[in-house]
Amino acid sequence: MSEAARSLLQRWGASFRKGTDFDSWGQLVEAIDEYQILARHLQKEAQSQPNNSEFTEDQKKTLAKIATCLELRSAALQSTQSQEEFKLEDLKKLEPILKNIFTYNKEFPFDVQPVPPRKILAPGEEEDLEFEEDEEEGGAGAGSPDTFSARVPGTLLPRLPSEPGMTLLTIKIEKIGLKDAGQCIDPYITVSVKDLNGVDLTPVQDTPVASRKEDTYIHFSVDIEIQRHIEKLTKGAAIFFEFKHYKPKKRFTSTKCFAFMEMDEIKPGPIVIELYKKPTDFKRKKLQLLTKKPLYLHLHQTLHKE
């Protein structure tokens, strides 16, 4: 085993123990976060190309199965149906397997299948797969065009070079309020700038997965650099924020809600904007508020002008 592989296993083992400690202490939000982070790392390794991995294909399958069990435990902590739970005692049986992955040659103790690569769906596309909508996840409004490419969360771009007389905009996404904030898995926000016809005016950016969850808020604290000078945006343009999260039972990443900011709202300082029901309506023709509750997307704007 190389030093790099040994270090990787140590990090995974530490994360596994941290998650089970949180779990046994009753710190469920922290346990869920730790399980989800570790599951993502294991899935990434399991899906790596042979020349980029020190693990054999059989070992990668085992890693993927452990990731599935982490997802199952995470889902169980958020479920009220105790008969379907994947118990902490079950999960702890996997720690020695992870620790000794290079020498493990027994049958996996649970009948689970590796989670396939996550599919990220275009706004509107997931509506065909949704059969369990709650009062805040109904679907009305025009869907986006089907020119969508799957992206890994965390595709932020640097600030553009300054130009004399031109203004650049930095938007800090501080937090979003949702009644079920603690149940959202791997939440992130896709930011895009669209014209009145829903056509992209700048590259689309994804935030990293949220930094933490607290009560009814999911915190991001991340800066988005808008990739065009404000003076060069077309009349009627808007900046969209699509909140997305992973659904382990359906095994895809879905848009839960969206918000947008129009050009007359661009001004320095904090701003709070309303959340709308999916599918994302980039043309802003048929908008429906997500909820009557006072829950919003909290932003802070900074203007840069030379």
Side-chain angles (χ1 to χ4, degrees):
M1 185 193 314
S2 72
E3 190 61 36
R6 184 177 289 106
S7 176
L8 193 60
L9 289 179
Q10 287 175 347
R11 290 202 303 272
W12 288 347
S15 181
F16 194 103
R17 287 189 294 277
K18 190 175 179 182
T20 53
D21 283 346
F22 281 136
D23 200 340
S24 61
W25 297 336
Q27 295 177 242
L28 302 189
V29 173
E30 292 83 354
I32 290 168
D33 287 345
E34 202 66 38
Y35 290 152
Q36 291 167 2
I37 290 169
L38 179 55
R40 285 201 307 276
H41 285 302
L42 297 182
Q43 288 166 356
K44 181 178 178 180
E45 187 64 44
Q47 295 162 16
S48 63
Q49 297 299 316
N51 58 341
N52 291 328
S53 176
E54 296 196 46
F55 299 94
T56 67
E57 291 305 304
D58 284 342
Q59 290 164 356
K60 287 195 285 188
K61 287 180 182 178
T62 300
L63 292 176
K65 288 182 178 182
I66 294 174
T68 298
C69 293
L70 289 164
E71 297 253 22
L72 289 172
R73 180 58 188 163
S74 177
L77 292 176
Q78 302 172 59
S79 173
T80 58
Q81 299 178 347
S82 59
Q83 69 271 20
E84 296 181 3
E85 284 188 0
F86 191 87
K87 300 185 182 302
L88 175 59
E89 293 73 20
D90 295 330
L91 192 64
K92 285 184 175 181
K93 296 176 184 176
L94 303 179
E95 185 176 1
I97 299 176
L98 183 61
K99 183 178 179 181
N100 301 291
I101 188 69
F102 284 103
T103 57
Y104 181 76
N105 58 7
K106 298 178 183 178
E107 186 174 347
F108 198 77
F110 303 106
D111 184 18
V112 296
Q113 295 301 315
V115 174
R118 295 183 175 186
K119 184 178 183 183
I120 300 177
L121 301 177
E125 183 182 356
E126 70 265 18
E127 295 303 301
D128 296 332
L129 303 174
E130 295 286 344
F131 301 105
E132 304 167 1
E133 309 237 346
D134 63 24
E135 76 224 4
E136 294 188 0
E137 286 197 8
S144 67
D146 56 8
T147 54
F148 181 91
S149 58
R151 294 178 300 278
V152 177
T155 56
L156 300 184
L157 297 169
R159 189 180 306 166
L160 294 175
S162 60
E163 293 184 15
M166 293 292 178
T167 308
L168 290 170
L169 171 63
T170 302
I171 300 176
K172 178 181 284 294
I173 300 178
E174 295 183 337
K175 61 184 180 180
I176 186 172
L178 295 167
K179 71 169 187 177
D180 56 351
Q183 298 177 20
C184 294
I185 297 176
D186 292 354
Y188 67 98
I189 291 176
T190 296
V191 181
S192 57
V193 183
K194 310 280 187 180
D195 68 10
L196 280 171
N197 295 315
V199 176
D200 283 314
L201 298 176
T202 68
V204 177
Q205 302 181 66
D206 291 329
T207 72
V209 169
S211 58
R212 63 189 174 93
K213 304 169 191 173
E214 185 178 32
D215 298 326
T216 56
Y217 287 102
I218 297 175
H219 294 260
F220 287 90
S221 298
V222 63
D223 287 339
I224 307 293
E225 303 292 348
I226 300 303
Q227 298 294 298
R228 182 173 288 196
H229 294 87
I230 301 304
E231 291 81 1
K232 297 180 181 179
L233 292 174
T234 58
K235 185 178 179 179
I239 303 170
F240 283 82
F241 306 85
E242 298 172 84
F243 178 85
K244 300 179 179 181
H245 64 131
Y246 179 62
K247 295 191 171 182
K249 290 184 178 180
K250 299 177 182 179
R251 296 181 176 177
F252 65 78
T253 295
S254 171
T255 301
K256 181 177 180 65
C257 60
F258 72 99
F260 63 89
M261 191 175 74
E262 296 183 314
M263 294 301 98
D264 60 358
E265 296 176 286
I266 295 178
K267 56 192 69 173
I271 182 173
V272 175
I273 56 178
E274 296 176 312
L275 305 177
Y276 294 94
K277 291 181 179 180
K278 64 179 183 180
T280 310
D281 181 6
F282 292 126
K283 296 182 180 180
R284 292 163 271 164
K285 298 291 187 183
K286 299 179 181 179
L287 300 169
Q288 290 191 40
L289 289 175
L290 176 68
T291 174
K292 296 178 182 178
K293 299 180 179 67
L295 299 174
Y296 306 98
L297 179 63
H298 296 249
L299 310 171
H300 189 281
Q301 301 181 77
T302 303
L303 297 176
H304 312 272
K305 189 166 186 177
E306 188 172 296

